[in-house]
Amino acid sequence: MTSFVELLLSGITSGLIIGLAGLSVTLVFGIARFSNAATGDTMTLGAYGALMGTSLTGSLLAGGLIGLAAGALSAILAYVLVFRPLQNRSPISSLLASIGVAFFIRAVLGVVFGHDQMVFQMDLVRPFRLHGVRIQPNDLKFAGVAILTLALVFVVLHLTPIGRRMRAVADNPLLARVSGIAPRPVMFTLWAIAGAVAAVAGILLGMKTVVSPESGWDMLLPAFAAAVLGGIGHPVGAVLAGVIIGVAQELATPFVGFTYKIAISFLVLLLVLLVRPRGLFGKIEGVR
């Protein structure tokens, strides 16, 4: 029973990280109307930015902010240079372009930093026990940062004028344009938020495990699974689905091993597409 609770707690932390990545995916899909395959590599870029920032400043907090800025800036540049010229074409064009952006980011990181695994220099902290259950203090910190990030995103989306414009564009792009909502500020804000959220997810993942050019790419399937399970374009659903997937992966580890637990994400994605394609909170949309 004790090991089950420990896996459950670890799964919640991992699930919050997956939820952040899924939130980035679903925000882009809800407004830009395509699946951004560069989300995972934006996570990796944020992690490397945080590593370099920590090395330069000696502060983990300052390094994290630098990594966050790197993720936001890279997403905005990708929008300006790649996705904006394709916005009037098929979503498939943007999806394929995002795969190209992902390969480009990964290749640059591989050339600059090599392919050896890197780690954040963090103080070793002994776990404490609560009723026999080992609790990792760092996991509590990671979960706290993830929850704070999610709260800030939802505050922006629901309590600010630009957030209301973003939600209006997500609900009905044509009506929003007719209502006088300028698309450019909305899109720049969207990509800044999506890049920053992905970067935070990458930084937390790097602190929890290791950082390598492929680490974010390996998280892309769980992120997409969370976005689909939660209902494409539904931010709350993506976060809750991320937690569900994270818990399922950790609880499955004793049976399938650490290497193959990511297959749980594929299984979840497959079952959702077969049984409930709209996801947990998605709406059925008629053909226009």
Side-chain angles (χ1 to χ4, degrees):
M1 183 62 182
T2 300
S3 60
F4 172 83
V5 175
E6 291 175 357
L7 287 172
L8 178 64
L9 294 176
S10 178
I12 291 174
T13 304
S14 300
L16 286 170
I17 296 174
I18 295 172
L20 285 173
L23 175 61
S24 180
V25 170
T26 207
L27 284 174
V28 172
F29 190 93
I31 298 176
R33 296 294 194 265
F34 75 93
S35 300
N36 181 22
T39 301
D41 292 279
T42 304
M43 292 172 59
T44 309
L45 179 63
Y48 274 108
L51 276 172
M52 295 303 100
T54 302
S55 177
L56 290 173
T57 63
S59 168
L60 199 60
L61 176 60
L65 293 176
I66 291 173
L68 186 151
L73 181 60
S74 69
I76 292 173
L77 287 175
Y79 166 65
V80 171
L81 299 176
V82 179
F83 301 128
R84 186 165 65 179
L86 297 173
Q87 62 185 1
N88 294 323
R89 300 189 183 182
S90 167
I92 298 298
S93 300
S94 296
L95 171 60
L96 294 175
S98 71
I99 296 174
V101 171
F103 278 116
F104 177 78
I105 293 174
R106 204 175 324 143
V108 171
L109 292 176
V111 170
V112 174
F113 298 103
H115 290 271
D116 292 335
Q117 294 179 344
M118 302 176 68
V119 296
F120 283 88
Q121 299 300 319
M122 302 176 63
D123 295 333
L124 293 176
V125 182
R126 293 174 61 89
F128 61 90
R129 290 185 176 273
L130 182 63
H131 300 293
V133 177
R134 290 184 304 171
I135 299 178
Q136 300 288 344
N138 285 336
D139 280 355
L140 296 180
K141 295 177 183 178
F142 299 155
V145 171
I147 292 172
L148 177 61
T149 302
L150 295 170
L152 290 174
V153 171
F154 288 119
V155 166
V156 171
L157 290 177
H158 294 277
L159 299 180
T160 64
I162 190 64
R164 287 190 286 271
R165 296 189 191 104
M166 290 172 65
R167 289 188 291 118
V169 172
D171 289 338
N172 193 320
L174 181 59
L175 180 60
R177 186 182 293 271
V178 172
S179 301
I181 296 177
R184 181 167 294 184
V186 169
M187 297 307 292
F188 272 92
T189 304
L190 161 68
W191 285 101
I193 292 176
V197 169
V200 172
I203 294 167
L204 294 177
L205 178 66
M207 290 180 176
K208 188 173 174 62
T209 56
V210 296
V211 180
S212 71
E214 294 78 21
S215 57
W217 178 258
D218 294 338
M219 284 291 293
L220 188 60
L221 179 58
F224 270 67
V228 173
L229 176 60
I232 289 292
H234 198 292
V236 176
V239 175
L240 293 178
V243 174
I244 292 172
I245 292 172
V247 170
Q249 285 186 348
E250 292 301 322
L251 294 181
T253 301
F255 305 100
V256 301
F258 178 81
T259 304
Y260 299 104
K261 69 178 183 179
I262 195 172
I264 301 299
S265 299
F266 177 77
L267 181 61
V268 168
L269 184 60
L270 180 63
L271 290 176
V272 172
L273 292 175
L274 290 174
V275 178
R276 191 180 174 89
R278 66 182 183 273
L280 296 176
F281 300 97
K283 298 178 181 178
I284 300 176
E285 296 184 2
V287 177
R288 294 181 174 87

